[in-house]
Amino acid sequence: SADSPVFNGTCMASWHLPPHLESLKSSTMAPRQSGEESGGLGSFRRHPDALLGILLLMAVAIVLVLGFRRRFAEQRKLNDQHGATMDVYLDSAMNACGDGMLILDSRGRCLRANEVALSRLGWSLQEMQGVSFESLVRHSHPNGRRLTPAESPDQLACLHGIGSKDSHLVLWNKSGEPLSVSYEARRLKLQWNHAGALVVFKDISEQLRAQKEAEMELERYECEFEKDEQASLIIGQHGFCLQANAAAAALFGYDSA
């Protein structure tokens, strides 16, 4: 039939395609004209306005990117300058304080320390920065017992936001010598909403030494007062007898208590 393949002995003739496929084949197999170009470049040459618009958009995008980068660099430079200025102000304010002062991050590591703290503890700022303050000074009770994490003012302030104050703690300086201090730690809000702590401690070694000398002087006076062979009385502001030695008690016939 007309739609069947025809053999001439060695070769097979081509199939007869349906009309709707025959037109598609002829359009795809048609040879290009000599002036016709292939690819997207030909399209741009036929439509130069489109190419001009794309190039203009690319130029605008490049200008915007370069401008943004320039503004970002300028703003970053201003931020760095502002931050450096604020650092100077902060250091000046901390150094004006007569007590030791430190700023800790959320993990209790040293960020800043004033000159009083550095001189009392014996470390340089470079040695302290980034190191746990607890590991440096080993907070202890006056009897030498180390503070537990639940008792540590730094941990309470940094991790739980609980401020605390202790009238007498012992810190150990770089040389391994104890330093008696009053100690206070308060929660501090740092950059990017990170919490830290502001630590202030005061050296009370001289105060404790003077207090101990006063107690020893009082004991010595009481001892001499009791051993005095003369009757001695201590009279209060309103005329009441506060204390009497043994000689006075024997003289008046009362118990010295």
Side-chain angles (χ1 to χ4, degrees), residues 3 12 17 24 47 50-51 59 76 87 96 102 113 117 147 152-153 212:
D3 295 333
M12 184 178 68
L17 296 176
L24 178 63
H47 304 284
L51 178 60
R76 184 173 183 179
D87 289 345
L102 303 99
L147 269 66
S152 172
K212 186 176 182 180

Side-chain angles (χ1 to χ4, degrees), residues 103-108 111 154 157-159 161 186-190 194-198:
I103 296 178
L104 310 181
D105 66 8
S106 58
R107 297 183 180 181
L111 297 177
D154 300 348
C158 294
L159 299 181
R186 296 291 177 184
R187 178 183 174 89
L188 186 65
K189 187 176 181 180
L190 304 175
H194 290 171
L198 174 65

Side-chain angles (χ1 to χ4, degrees), residues 7-229:
F7 294 90
N8 57 5
T10 59
C11 299
M12 184 178 68
S14 62
W15 290 88
H16 294 285
L17 296 176
H20 65 282
L21 295 181
E22 190 69 32
S23 61
L24 178 63
K25 176 181 177 182
S26 61
S27 63
T28 56
M29 298 295 292
R32 296 182 181 273
Q33 300 296 327
S34 58
E36 186 177 1
E37 299 183 14
S38 61
L41 184 59
S43 300
F44 284 130
R45 289 188 176 180
R46 289 194 303 270
H47 304 284
D49 293 341
L51 178 60
L52 181 61
I54 292 176
L55 293 177
L56 180 61
L57 288 176
M58 292 177 62
V60 171
I62 292 174
V63 171
L64 290 176
V65 170
L66 293 178
F68 176 78
R69 290 186 61 183
R70 181 178 179 181
R71 288 190 60 185
F72 179 78
E74 292 176 351
Q75 186 63 41
R76 184 173 183 179
K77 183 178 180 180
L78 291 176
N79 291 340
D80 292 341
Q81 293 175 351
H82 179 71
T85 303
M86 293 304 298
D87 289 345
V88 172
Y89 289 156
L90 179 59
D91 290 338
S92 299
M94 292 179 64
N95 290 328
C97 180
D99 300 330
M101 183 179 294
L102 303 99
I103 296 178
L104 310 181
D105 66 8
S106 58
R107 297 183 180 181
R109 297 173 298 190
C110 296
L111 297 177
R112 292 182 179 276
N114 68 349
E115 295 175 354
V116 177
L118 298 176
S119 63
R120 294 289 188 274
L121 300 175
W123 279 283
S124 66
L125 182 59
Q126 291 73 20
E127 291 174 322
M128 296 181 66
Q129 282 182 329
V131 182
S132 169
F133 189 55
E134 167 65 28
S135 65
L136 289 174
V137 299
R138 307 188 304 278
H139 303 77
S140 305
H141 291 284
N143 60 5
R145 183 176 65 85
R146 287 284 299 274
L147 269 66
T148 64
E151 298 173 321
S152 172
D154 300 348
Q155 296 292 327
L156 292 174
C158 294
L159 299 181
H160 307 291
I162 302 174
S164 59
K165 185 176 182 179
D166 201 307
S167 60
H168 188 187
L169 285 181
V170 175
L171 309 181
W172 300 86
N173 62 17
K174 185 177 181 179
S175 301
E177 299 174 350
L179 178 66
S180 296
V181 299
S182 62
Y183 197 92
E184 184 174 5
R186 296 291 177 184
R187 178 183 174 89
L188 186 65
K189 187 176 181 180
L190 304 175
Q191 292 181 345
W192 309 111
N193 294 324
H194 290 171
L198 174 65
V199 172
V200 179
F201 67 86
K202 181 177 182 179
D203 186 357
I204 59 173
S205 301
E206 291 297 329
Q207 177 183 341
L208 293 177
R209 187 177 297 108
Q211 181 179 348
K212 186 176 182 180
E213 290 178 356
E215 292 174 352
M216 294 176 61
E217 184 68 21
L218 179 60
E219 290 178 359
R220 184 166 55 250
Y221 169 78
E222 290 178 346
C223 183
E224 294 177 355
F225 179 79
E226 288 295 332
K227 291 181 179 180
D228 192 355
E229 296 179 355

